[in-house]
Amino acid sequence: MRNRVREQRAHRGLSQAELAAALGVSRQTVISIENGRYLPSLPLAFRIARFFDLTVDKMFDPDDEEAAT
């Protein structure tokens, strides 16, 4: 799954630690989400999207392979 977390975080001038604190997760969680190694839970995905004033579907985009299943 592709996501826009890194792009949105950088656009707002936030560090990974600042975003993690705002979301109530660890910096390692933010790193893993940005690198596509961790898929956030649905509640966390909504928190991330709300934080950036986006909808979940604008923030997270399934890969073509995932969308086909």
Side-chain angles (χ1 to χ4, degrees), residues 6 8-19 22 51-52:
R6 179 177 290 144
Q8 291 295 313
R9 178 182 58 76
H11 178 71
R12 293 198 181 197
L14 295 170
S15 70
Q16 291 170 330
E18 290 169 328
L19 177 58
F51 181 83
F52 291 114

Side-chain angles (χ1 to χ4, degrees), residues 2 7 14 17 24 27 34 38 41 44 50 52 58:
R2 293 182 303 258
E7 169 192 329
L14 295 170
R27 185 173 135 297
E34 287 185 353
Y38 175 74
S41 65
L44 178 55
R50 264 190 248 119
F52 291 114
K58 297 285 185 191

Side-chain angles (χ1 to χ4, degrees), residues 23-45:
L23 296 173
V25 299
S26 70
R27 185 173 135 297
Q28 289 77 16
T29 297
V30 171
I31 291 168
S32 293
I33 292 170
E34 287 185 353
N35 291 325
R37 290 188 314 251
Y38 175 74
L39 297 176
S41 65
L42 194 53
L44 178 55

